[in-house]
């Protein structure tokens, strides 16, 4: 049963999925989008790392799966995303690093059920991805050569098919992630500007079922 009704009624919730290989720049671009467009950035990986750090019920299992570059059960990550969305009080969300596979996508549709407006796909060659991650000094347990290789395999085998699914729906906006972070954001900025302009335009064309003169028939003599 979808929890879409858990959001305040009458509030349009905008969800954008941000998908790309490990190290493609999802977090980097999401930080820029937040500053420029006022979205709430929900990093699936960060939500899971918080579970590990706070040693929750699933913390140990999540830690082991992340160390292996494997994906955690979809209901866990989807319920973490839902809780974060509801707690934020915002109505615009960047869901970073999700969905990662078909199971993620189906669990999201079943539990949250808010169709993404767009899927931002940050495309970047593998050699560049590996270079970035091995130079990234964030102390992540999964930024080692072995785990990186497994994460790449998951991205290729499980995540790219999800990008294809949304591409068939015309929802994917691809950017060249190999450019500089600022140059990538120029492309990202154009995509989000178009999205939000279209949304404002659609709101100003709300259909009124009757013209003002019709009201006269409702006024008792
Ligand atoms: N366009 C870019 N050019 C060069 N370096 C970049 C670019 N974008 C991000 N980086 C750097 O590459 C590393 C990975 O970036 P980031 O953490 O944003 O990627 P990510 O897609 O969120 O990765 P992960 O999936 O592992 O969380 C960081 O050190 C970041 O500073
Ligand atoms: N939908 C997801 C997203 C992430 N994970 C696990 O977290 C790891 C790190 O993700 P980043 O986006 O921060 O790179 C990822 O390798 C997975 O182990 C997940 O299980 N499901
Ligand atoms: Mg990231």
């Amino acid at each position: 049963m979808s929890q879409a009704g858990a959001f305040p009624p009458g509030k349009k919730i905008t969800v954008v999925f941000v998908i790309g290989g490990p190290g493609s720049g999802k977090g980097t671009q999401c930080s820029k989008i937040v500053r420029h467009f006022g979205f709430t950035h929900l990093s699936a990986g960060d939500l899971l790392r918080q579970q590990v750090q706070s040693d929750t019920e699933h913390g140990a299992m999540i830690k082991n799966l992340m160390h292996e570059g494997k994906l955690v059960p979809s209901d866990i990550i989807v319920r973490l995303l839902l809780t974060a969305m509801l707690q934020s009080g915002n109505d615009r969300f960047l869901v970073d690093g999700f969905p990662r596979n078909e199971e993620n996508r189906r669990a999201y549709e079943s539990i949250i059920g808010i169709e993404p407006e767009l899927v931002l796909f940050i495309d970047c060659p593998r050699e560049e991805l590996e270079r970035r991650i091995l130079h990234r000094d964030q102390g992540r347990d999964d930024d080692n050569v072995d785990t990186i290789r497994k994460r790449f395999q998951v991205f290729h085998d499980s995540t790219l098919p999800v990008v294809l699914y949304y591409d068939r729906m015309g929802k994917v906006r691809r950017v060249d992630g190999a450019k500089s972070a600022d140059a990538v954001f120029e492309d990202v900025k154009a995509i989000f500007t178009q999205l939000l302009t279209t949304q404002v335009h659609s709101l100003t064309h709300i259909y009124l079922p009757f013209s003002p003169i019709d009201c006269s028939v409702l006024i008792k003599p």
Side-chain angles (χ1 to χ4, degrees):
M1 173 67 179
S2 161
Q3 298 295 312
F7 291 90
K11 207 174 187 184
K12 169 141 181 81
I13 307 294
T14 300
V15 172
V16 172
F17 290 151
V18 181
I19 300 178
S24 56
K26 299 185 293 298
T28 300
Q29 293 306 315
C30 284
S31 298
K32 294 176 182 289
I33 297 165
V34 164
R35 285 196 298 274
H36 210 84
F37 294 100
F39 279 67
T40 291
H41 175 202
L42 300 176
S43 161
D46 287 348
L47 289 171
L48 293 169
R49 282 181 282 271
Q50 287 165 15
Q51 294 293 305
V52 174
Q53 283 155 13
S54 45
D55 195 20
T56 61
E57 175 195 2
H58 299 300
M61 173 191 65
I62 292 170
K63 179 177 181 159
N64 292 334
L65 288 168
M66 293 179 83
H67 182 71
E68 288 301 311
K70 293 177 180 172
L71 300 181
V72 307
S74 295
D75 65 313
I76 291 178
I77 184 59
V78 171
R79 293 189 189 285
L80 288 172
L81 286 169
L82 176 60
T83 301
M85 290 167 86
L86 293 174
Q87 286 177 346
S88 76
N90 199 352
D91 56 1
R92 289 177 178 175
F93 299 99
L94 293 171
V95 183
D96 165 1
F98 182 95
R100 279 290 219 299
N101 63 6
E102 178 70 5
E103 184 200 79
N104 270 191
R105 184 185 68 74
R106 290 180 183 275
Y108 172 89
E109 282 181 4
S110 166
I111 297 170
I112 296 179
I114 297 172
E115 189 173 334
E117 293 294 319
L118 291 179
V119 175
L120 177 64
F121 173 43
I122 306 177
D123 196 4
C124 192
R126 171 162 175 163
E127 301 70 34
E128 175 64 6
L129 296 178
E130 195 158 322
R131 185 193 68 78
R132 290 179 185 176
I133 294 178
L134 294 178
H135 284 81
R136 173 169 69 181
D137 187 18
Q138 291 177 1
R140 282 178 46 165
D141 175 54
D142 57 349
D143 276 357
N144 61 75
V145 176
D146 290 338
T147 307
I148 290 171
R149 296 269 155 76
K150 294 171 185 171
R151 290 160 65 193
F152 282 143
Q153 198 63 48
V154 166
F155 175 70
H156 179 269
D157 296 347
S158 302
T159 309
L160 279 178
V162 173
V163 177
L164 200 57
Y165 172 90
Y166 285 113
D167 195 37
R168 290 193 184 111
M169 295 170 70
K171 284 184 175 287
V172 172
R173 301 295 181 272
R174 177 195 173 276
V175 292
D176 175 4
K179 297 179 183 177
S180 73
D182 289 342
V184 173
F185 185 63
E186 286 307 307
D187 297 339
V188 168
K189 198 159 49 173
I191 292 167
F192 277 76
T193 300
Q194 185 187 30
L195 168 66
L196 298 178
T197 306
T198 307
Q199 281 192 336
V200 168
H201 186 70
S202 62
L203 280 175
T204 56
H205 283 66
I206 293 173
Y207 169 70
L208 293 177
F210 50 83
S211 66
I213 65 169
D214 294 340
C215 293
S216 60
V217 299
L218 305 176
I219 298 168
K220 296 288 177 264

